[in-house]
Amino acid sequence: MTICCTGIAIGTTRGIAIGEVHLLQRGCVEITPRFIDAASIPDEVDRFCQAVSIARRQLRSVRNKIPNNTHSDIVAFIDTHMLILNDAALVEMPIEHIKEKCCGAEWALQLQRDMLVQMFDEMEDTYLRTRKDDVDHAVNQIQQALRQEVEEEENEDLQGKIILAQDLTPADTILMRHLGIAAFVTESGGPMSHTAILARSLGIPAVVGVHHATRHLHNGELTIVDGEKGMVLVAADEGTLSHYRHRIEVERQHARSLQRLIGEPSVTIDGTAICLMANIELPEDIDATREIGADGVGLYRTEYLFVNRNSPPDEEEHYQAYLRVVEGLDGIPVTIRTLDLGADKQFYSSHLNPESSVCNPALGLRAIRLCLKKPELFYPQLRAILRVAAHGPVRIMIPMLCNLWEVYQLKAMIEEARMSLTRQGVSIGEPVPIGGMIEVPAAALAAGAFAKELDFISIGTNDLIQYTLAIDRVDDEVNYLYDPLHPSVLRLIKMILDAGERHQVPVSMCGEMAGDPLFLPLLLGMGLREFSMQPGALLEVKKTIRTLDSEKLSGQVSHLLSRLDDAETAVELSRISHTRNSWPAQSS
Ligand code: PEP
Ligand code: MG
């Protein structure tokens, strides 16, 4: 018998995995008061001490499994938890509670946790206030050990496991990848969340938004994750398993066959050259980008530098990271996006801006808004980008522009950084082109004004769709409304492309829509010629481009856009978006 739960497909290129479930508990178990008689105190103390030792051993074992070349922040993240697990406030005080209050170890630990968290909450320093998450992480680890869930896990390898969790942060996703997991399933989250984008980019099959998954899946159970269809199958019969094993093999062969396109031109059948660039974020993306022969990097997300840190990176760290990318890409142009912290990229931003994260982070102080408000955070990055421009072709790209004055303010800051570097005699190379992401409807409607001020424009459809359709990209409850083919989204994309053409400013697209072959005929027909996507999608996109006729598509898409007010057109577009079935322009 095969039991199936469905969630949201995140559409990885290697979308299927088969493996055993490993349930990742994250503080979801309620601890209730439990009291013991005086005679049981020594045993209870002993039980608590053993749980602490197990938690420490487990953490050490995770740390030992991390490869040497892993980003130092991942290791620092684990080291912080190790320090907390050795802190007397966490490991000695509960023993006092057990002795004085005659309570069970779980409740003693919970009392101490509540006290520590209250202390953190009362702190002036916003950064210290947010450290309570680390305390919770360490506490959860001990609580799990008390529940004896991790005793067998201690020596367990996560290699090849299917991780099941309530939710995963982007930092967890990176860590999981280093631990060699096969796939993950989460109860919440959306396909455009940063966690899902990272999973796609890392080639981890995943299904997100599987409500109550933890009720249906159990530790150790053999499970199939179909990341393309958004399905999780348990208790699969032999027929189903062999069907999926066959699909995994077909995927592998397909990936191998795509390799033949490396070095082949990206041109439509009517001879239109299409620029295909990569979105990068992690150090490992550099090799992938070079190997597939991308024309450039259309989006370098720099937030990764902020993962699990106690303090922001300084100018030198920014510079060294960008230098690694520029040198590693060996002459391929790199578009460095300035910090887009906040909203779905809550790395360091909750330290900077804890209030915003509890209100409405997607509409809050994120990206360029945060950077202009915190020049001490932004200047080091701007200076580092200018410095790295002496070593190769780079461009600066600003996320989440909404007002023209943001561009003016940014340009003034860049000029100030340039002058100060020149005064210091630091080499800064050629002037760096400055571009902006159009990902807010207000900016799309005013795209002409932005085009006049910028050297290039990139359409960020992940956010443009979120803001146009008023749906939080990380909220699985409204994910069914996420629709790249909504008539309003199409109109806005067309407006941006037209504005670029009017002002002769190149327009690219770097949202997930750009890497999805389903939307290629439409985007080519609209006039888009530059696409940037996760490296794993590039060859598939190139393959599709080589089968399309851009001239024919242009006529078909103009006709389609002229009918956007027709109910049938809207219904048809919505059908395509949701079923991912054939594109009308191709079939007509
Ligand atoms: C976008 O919004 O489309 C985009 C590419 O940026 P991010 O996903 O990093 O917000
Ligand atoms: Mg964005």
Side-chain angles (χ1 to χ4, degrees):
M1 184 178 59
T2 301
I3 305 166
C4 173
C5 5
T6 53
I8 301 157
I10 69 153
T12 61
T13 42
R14 286 175 41 240
I16 300 167
I18 302 175
E20 281 176 16
V21 170
H22 177 97
L23 178 63
L24 207 67
Q25 294 274 12
R26 284 287 157 81
C28 43
V29 176
E30 199 186 332
I31 311 292
T32 48
R34 181 174 67 87
F35 295 93
I36 53 176
D37 53 46
S40 308
I41 288 175
D43 284 349
E44 200 64 14
V45 170
D46 207 34
R47 210 180 135 240
F48 178 75
C49 292
Q50 275 186 28
V52 172
S53 308
I54 289 173
R56 284 181 191 146
R57 271 208 304 279
Q58 199 213 8
L59 204 57
R60 249 195 316 274
S61 131
V62 169
R63 197 189 187 291
N64 291 342
K65 281 176 201 152
I66 293 183
N68 290 341
N69 60 353
T70 303
H71 197 279
S72 58
D73 299 332
I74 302 285
V75 179
F77 178 58
I78 294 176
D79 286 345
T80 305
H81 294 153
M82 188 58 98
L83 278 177
I84 297 173
L85 279 177
N86 282 304
D87 195 309
L90 192 72
V91 298
E92 282 174 20
M93 285 310 292
I95 296 176
E96 297 308 310
H97 294 322
I98 295 174
K99 289 178 182 164
E100 284 167 18
K101 302 186 172 81
C102 285
C103 54
E106 291 87 347
W107 188 239
L109 179 60
Q110 183 66 18
L111 288 176
Q112 186 60 14
R113 177 256 171 216
D114 291 349
M115 212 200 72
L116 289 172
V117 165
Q118 192 188 344
M119 250 169 54
F120 278 108
D121 277 341
E122 285 164 4
M123 281 176 184
E124 288 278 305
D125 186 309
T126 49
Y127 163 68
L128 283 177
R129 262 198 334 247
T130 58
R131 300 314 294 182
K132 64 182 184 196
D133 290 348
D134 293 316
V135 172
D136 269 335
H137 193 103
V139 166
N140 284 336
Q141 223 143 6
I142 306 175
Q143 292 287 17
Q144 283 179 45
L146 283 168
R147 290 198 304 277
Q148 297 183 333
E149 283 176 10
V150 290
E151 270 174 316
E152 317 90 86
E153 274 176 27
E154 281 181 87
N155 301 313
E156 202 175 10
D157 209 339
L158 289 189
Q159 184 84 27
K161 292 277 157 69
I162 289 174
I163 298 299
L164 169 63
Q166 218 295 312
D167 201 3
L168 287 179
T169 64
D172 290 330
T173 311
I174 298 168
L175 180 62
M176 296 292 159
R177 150 74 191 261
H178 285 296
L179 297 177
I181 65 150
F184 69 77
V185 177
T186 59
E187 291 200 330
S188 50
M192 294 303 145
S193 68
H194 197 56
T195 296
I197 290 176
L198 260 173
R200 256 194 302 276
S201 179
L202 293 169
I204 306 175
V207 181
V208 298
V210 189
H211 294 182
H212 311 302
T214 47
R215 271 195 222 156
H216 301 294
L217 307 178
H218 307 286
N219 258 336
E221 210 163 22
L222 191 68
T223 299
I224 301 167
V225 173
D226 183 341
E228 282 164 22
K229 296 224 160 48
M231 288 198 315
V232 183
L233 296 108
V234 278
D237 51 40
E238 201 36 56
T240 311
L241 278 168
S242 70
H243 167 77
Y244 275 96
R245 284 190 189 116
H246 176 68
R247 278 188 58 192
I248 291 173
E249 189 45 40
V250 169
E251 271 189 11
R252 279 199 195 119
Q253 280 172 14
H254 180 63
R256 274 199 292 272
S257 77
L258 286 177
Q259 299 291 311
R260 285 200 285 273
L261 287 172
I262 296 174
E264 294 296 327
S266 162
V267 196
T268 59
I269 49 178
D270 57 316
T272 305
I274 306 298
C275 173
L276 295 184
M277 300 183 284
N279 291 350
I280 67 166
E281 178 160 11
L282 306 175
E284 46 262 58
D285 295 332
I286 303 173
D287 291 344
T289 302
R290 219 188 26 241
E291 280 158 23
I292 52 167
D295 296 315
V297 167
L299 167 64
Y300 171 16
R301 290 183 169 102
T302 55
E303 299 79 35
Y304 176 60
L305 286 173
F306 284 72
V307 171
N308 299 319
R309 298 185 57 111
N310 298 344
S311 57
D314 61 15
E315 178 184 323
E316 194 54 28
E317 273 180 89
H318 278 287
Y319 172 69
Q320 291 300 337
Y322 307 153
L323 190 62
R324 259 197 310 280
V325 171
V326 167
E327 288 186 343
L329 290 174
D330 203 14
I332 298 175
V334 182
T335 309
I336 304 179
R337 180 177 72 183
T338 57
L339 298 171
D340 186 13
L341 295 170
D344 62 317
K345 303 178 196 77
Q346 297 286 348
F347 290 131
Y348 181 76
S349 39
S350 52
H351 301 318
L352 295 163
N353 191 27
E355 293 78 16
S356 171
S357 24
V358 290
C359 301
N360 196 336
L363 301 180
L365 200 57
R366 66 172 281 206
I368 186 65
R369 302 170 180 186
L370 183 70
C371 287
L372 292 178
K373 214 157 179 186
K374 307 243 175 225
E376 70 281 10
L377 191 77
F378 200 23
Y379 262 119
Q381 176 170 49
L382 292 179
R383 283 174 57 98
I385 298 175
L386 295 181
R387 283 171 61 194
V388 91
H391 300 271
V394 299
R395 315 192 290 179
I396 293 183
M397 183 161 78
I398 315 303
M400 221 199 164
L401 285 172
C402 194
N403 296 287
L404 267 186
W405 55 258
E406 290 161 343
V407 178
Y408 301 143
Q409 235 173 303
L410 169 92
K411 283 186 175 176
M413 286 179 80
I414 292 178
E415 183 54 18
E416 209 175 309
R418 195 189 62 76
M419 285 193 318
S420 81
L421 286 165
T422 311
R423 272 197 306 275
Q424 292 165 359
V426 180
S427 145
I428 53 172
E430 297 289 310
V432 178
I434 302 169
M437 288 186 71
I438 302 294
E439 48 185 349
V440 174
L445 292 165
F450 283 99
K452 280 189 188 173
E453 297 297 333
L454 295 167
D455 298 316
F456 64 95
I457 278 175
S458 186
I459 309 175
T461 48
N462 306 341
D463 279 314
L464 185 63
I465 297 167
Q466 146 168 270
Y467 294 124
T468 305
L469 305 182
I471 44 166
D472 192 328
R473 62 197 259 192
V474 297
D475 183 349
D476 53 299
E477 295 290 349
V478 288
N479 247 300
Y480 68 101
L481 294 168
Y482 198 93
D483 181 8
L485 297 183
H486 189 289
S488 306
V489 173
L490 297 186
R491 283 199 172 102
L492 290 174
I493 293 175
K494 184 69 177 126
M495 286 179 83
I496 303 168
L497 287 165
D498 289 348
E501 200 177 337
R502 262 196 326 277
H503 297 285
Q504 306 210 318
V505 169
V507 178
S508 58
M509 179 180 282
C510 62
E512 296 297 290
M513 192 177 177
D516 188 335
L518 180 71
F519 305 121
L520 269 179
L522 172 82
L523 295 172
L524 280 181
M526 279 177 149
L528 186 68
R529 296 293 178 261
E530 293 183 18
F531 297 72
S532 192
M533 66 208 73
Q534 47 113 349
L538 194 139
L539 294 176
E540 186 73 51
V541 166
K542 189 192 271 190
K543 182 174 168 226
T544 312
I545 281 173
R546 288 160 62 93
T547 64
L548 296 173
D549 182 330
S550 69
E551 219 164 287
K552 223 188 251 173
L553 284 168
S554 165
Q556 291 168 333
V557 172
S558 302
H559 180 61
L560 175 96
L561 294 179
S562 71
R563 288 186 296 125
L564 281 182
D565 284 341
D566 295 353
E568 304 114 65
T569 311
V571 169
E572 179 62 4
L573 287 171
S574 167
R575 184 193 64 77
I576 295 164
S577 211
H578 290 102
T579 61
R580 298 190 54 80
N581 269 337
S582 93
W583 179 245
Q586 278 178 317
S587 51
S588 60

